[in-house]
Amino acid sequence: MSRESEFVVVANRLPVDRDRDRGGWRRSPGGLVSAIAPVMRSRQGTWVGWSGAPDEMLDPFVEDGMHLCPVRQSAEEVELYYEGFSNATLWPLYHDVIAPPVYDRAMWDAYVRVNERFATAAADVAAEGAIVWVQDYQLQLVPAMLRRLRPDLRIGFFLHIPFPPLELFWQMPWRRQILEGLLGADLVGFQLPGAAANFVRLCKRLLDAKSVKQDVHWEDRVVRARAFPISVDVGELRELIARPEVRWRADEIRADLGGGTVLLGVDRLDYTKGITQRLQAFGELFADGELKPGEAVLAQIATPSRERVEQYQILREQIEQQVGRINGQHAELGSPVIHYLHTSYDREELAALYLAADVMVVTPLRDGMNLVAKEYVACREDLRGTLVLSEFAGAAEELRRGAYLVNPYDIDGLKETLLAAVRAEPAEQARRMRVMRKRVIEHDVDRWAADFLASLEQPAGAPAV
Ligand code: ADP
Ligand code: F6P
């Protein structure tokens, strides 16, 4: 495949990875894939990314209606670039240093090397003047590298996770290189206006760049920094919940869970997601006698994620012990109070779970957006169900009028909020759900992508969008 795509997405992962149990391909984990895959299918471009397996050399292929162009990563690069600099350095630094970031020069060198490989792969597949959309924190150097190789391209970058304030970003030993990497783009997109403001402030302080509002003047170009809150594929979810088999499955799940109030958590197993705080608060409600076994049950689904990174291994053990302890103390024979499933599900099962849940519990300690919260809202056409949502999820900016907002560090506050959500009357549920649905339906993933790409296609110097 060479120089033929008018539209290229570059992301660390391809939208599919290998299904080790059943063979073949399955959807890769995480919000990035949920958001970009529908855009990609409708635009018929090329997706440049890694297959998820070390040392795998693959030719370009088509899967699930998408043209995929694999980029190799050696086992050592997976360790140093992906598990290392991306997920042991950038991930914790950009999420409020919830875990201590590791600063290691060999990891940084691998990050530079792999970013170069992605830039070269994108340069090879993009047609003259094509649009190239680079995704997320793993590839922050790609915009500048790609511009050097192919100055004819229109380059966009979108960061799916939070962008930290100056006081935190300042820790980064390679802070200049990262900002200069991002400034290779014509448009740098963030989830929230606060993140775009952090970026502009950093460019001014660290690089002495001039800026006018959110336009940064850099090397005789203007780089726009803007917020584009990402969203969900409302059409896909609507189609799923209309299927009779999904509705039957939702009824079946409710019956299997014992007929009480169903609380649901769906997350990658990640320390940013606040799963331990959620479990603690829920367990204490039984210890306090506020909830009785059989009256309420929590189904916690946790997708395996970054399993070789130490912090993720520690978290998994912690959660498994916590679930065992809470069930040991409060469950009755045959009816646990927490159902914990360390697995990932297909979209049908996920939609059925959303329909089965009375209370969706989304309590990250920090999250760029959180698509699970929006997926739940998109699925509740019946206007039933409540959403407990962390103030530290990007989604709280849009859903604050309808969600039960909570500070997940405040366990007493979390307990009160969970109870309020469990006890909400149907009329109150409907009132809140209506407000949230209006926002999500009007601002779905198609609109997000259209807004970003329209802004990217605008000539530099045009009025800000
Ligand atoms: P992140 O990008 O940090 O993983 P998001 O909430 O933004 O968080 O996105 C997670 C995406 O992954 C959502 O689209 C959600 O439906 C999907 N997902 C999360 N957990 C599971 C699971 N156990 N099985 C299948 N899909 C999941
Ligand atoms: O933005 C969230 C994100 O980190 C994506 O970049 C990533 O694809 C997804 O979560 C899942 O993480 P991983 O690719 O490390 O499994």
Side-chain angles (χ1 to χ4, degrees):
M1 212 187 275
S2 67
R3 297 223 168 184
E4 58 186 25
S5 285
E6 299 292 343
F7 179 64
V8 180
V9 162
V10 193
N12 175 55
R13 268 186 194 279
L14 289 173
V16 290
D17 65 8
R18 294 222 183 270
D19 189 333
R20 307 256 161 239
D21 302 327
R22 281 175 283 183
W25 297 97
R26 58 164 190 200
R27 180 191 174 116
S28 306
L32 185 157
V33 169
S34 303
I36 307 286
V39 179
M40 196 64 188
R41 277 190 212 99
S42 65
R43 293 198 171 232
Q44 287 294 305
T46 298
W47 186 312
V48 175
W50 171 51
S51 72
D55 289 319
E56 191 167 50
M57 303 276 274
L58 290 173
D59 287 331
F61 63 106
V62 177
E63 179 68 30
D64 199 12
M66 292 177 279
H67 292 267
L68 309 182
C69 177
V71 173
R72 182 184 58 83
Q73 285 181 36
S74 70
E76 192 195 22
E77 286 165 347
V78 172
E79 191 185 328
L80 295 174
Y81 148 80
Y82 168 70
E83 294 165 350
F85 200 79
S86 298
N87 290 313
T89 308
L90 292 167
W91 183 264
L93 177 65
Y94 284 27
H95 287 88
D96 285 359
V97 297
I98 297 168
V102 176
Y103 297 114
D104 177 294
R105 283 167 289 179
M107 288 181 183
W108 165 253
D109 291 345
Y111 186 77
V112 176
R113 200 164 61 244
V114 176
N115 270 248
E116 264 162 7
R117 192 171 307 137
F118 273 92
T120 306
D124 285 349
V125 297
E128 182 72 20
I131 288 195
V132 180
W133 193 2
V134 184
Q135 310 291 327
D136 230 356
Y137 60 100
Q138 302 95 339
L139 301 178
Q140 293 173 101
L141 307 180
V142 168
M145 291 169 168
L146 187 54
R147 181 166 299 281
R148 273 194 291 278
L149 294 169
R150 294 285 306 274
D152 59 298
L153 301 174
R154 197 95 188 130
I155 304 171
F157 179 90
F158 186 78
L159 185 72
H160 292 250
I161 67 175
F163 190 75
L166 184 142
E167 294 73 14
L168 289 180
F169 191 80
W170 217 251
Q171 289 183 8
M172 167 58 74
W174 302 280
R175 56 198 186 192
R176 262 193 100 82
Q177 289 93 319
I178 290 180
L179 288 186
E180 287 176 359
L182 291 169
L183 285 169
D186 295 292
L187 172 66
V188 185
F190 299 90
Q191 300 280 20
L192 302 180
N198 287 346
F199 174 72
V200 174
R201 190 163 163 236
L202 268 159
C203 291
K204 289 201 290 197
R205 282 287 298 276
L206 196 58
L207 305 178
D208 219 9
K210 297 276 168 294
S211 73
V212 178
K213 294 188 179 156
Q214 297 200 307
D215 291 347
V216 181
H217 293 252
W218 184 245
E219 294 178 341
D220 68 22
R221 292 181 303 115
V222 176
V223 181
R224 296 187 180 133
R226 298 283 186 280
F228 300 89
I230 203 165
S231 195
V232 295
D233 189 346
V234 175
E236 178 223 25
L237 293 163
R238 270 199 172 134
E239 188 272 316
L240 280 174
I241 58 166
R243 292 188 197 169
E245 64 273 24
V246 171
R247 295 183 168 271
W248 292 327
R249 179 65 191 137
D251 291 341
E252 193 174 57
I253 291 170
R254 288 190 65 85
D256 288 349
L257 290 174
T261 303
V262 176
L263 293 88
L264 175 67
V266 175
D267 311 81
R268 269 185 313 101
L269 188 64
D270 194 299
Y271 53 82
T272 58
K273 301 291 182 183
I275 301 172
T276 54
Q277 288 79 357
R278 184 184 310 168
L279 296 175
Q280 185 181 341
F282 187 68
E284 285 188 19
L285 289 173
F286 288 92
D288 298 347
E290 294 282 4
L291 292 176
K292 307 261 179 299
E295 187 188 354
V297 66
L298 171 65
Q300 175 61 56
I301 319 294
T303 318
S305 186
R306 306 171 192 166
E307 290 187 284
R308 293 184 349 153
V309 179
E310 192 188 357
Q311 293 287 346
Y312 290 76
Q313 294 169 349
I314 297 172
L315 177 74
R316 182 174 173 188
E317 270 177 36
Q318 215 177 354
I319 289 175
E320 286 174 0
Q321 281 176 12
Q322 211 181 355
V323 170
R325 201 166 47 239
I326 296 169
N327 276 333
Q329 283 166 357
H330 305 296
E332 287 174 354
L333 215 55
S335 53
V337 293
I338 301 176
H339 290 254
Y340 168 71
L341 295 132
H342 182 237
T343 184
S344 77
Y345 286 120
D346 59 27
R347 303 297 287 165
E348 288 82 359
E349 183 72 1
L350 224 45
L353 280 159
Y354 291 143
L355 289 182
D358 299 300
V359 181
M360 187 74 221
V361 195
V362 179
T363 56
L365 305 177
R366 177 58 74 195
D367 210 328
M369 178 52 62
N370 197 289
L371 292 184
V372 167
K374 291 187 174 181
E375 286 170 359
Y376 180 66
V377 168
C379 284
R380 297 315 299 243
E381 277 180 357
D382 58 355
L383 302 182
R384 298 303 294 267
T386 49
L387 172 66
V388 172
L389 181 60
S390 166
E391 293 166 355
F392 302 115
E397 287 213 2
E398 293 168 86
L399 303 181
R400 61 175 61 253
R401 285 176 51 231
Y404 286 80
L405 282 193
V406 69
N407 169 2
Y409 291 98
D410 170 11
I411 301 296
D412 286 336
L414 186 46
K415 286 161 67 179
E416 278 166 30
T417 312
L418 286 174
L419 275 185
V422 164
R423 292 176 181 161
E425 296 295 335
E428 177 66 3
Q429 293 178 22
R431 186 189 69 73
R432 286 172 175 263
M433 193 55 84
R434 209 172 274 124
V435 183
M436 294 192 289
R437 284 181 59 76
K438 183 167 172 8
R439 175 73 203 184
V440 173
I441 291 167
E442 286 175 1
H443 294 83
D444 67 353
V445 75
D446 289 339
R447 176 153 174 195
W448 168 78
D451 285 352
F452 184 96
L453 294 171
S455 186
L456 178 58
E457 282 170 50
Q458 266 191 341
V465 176

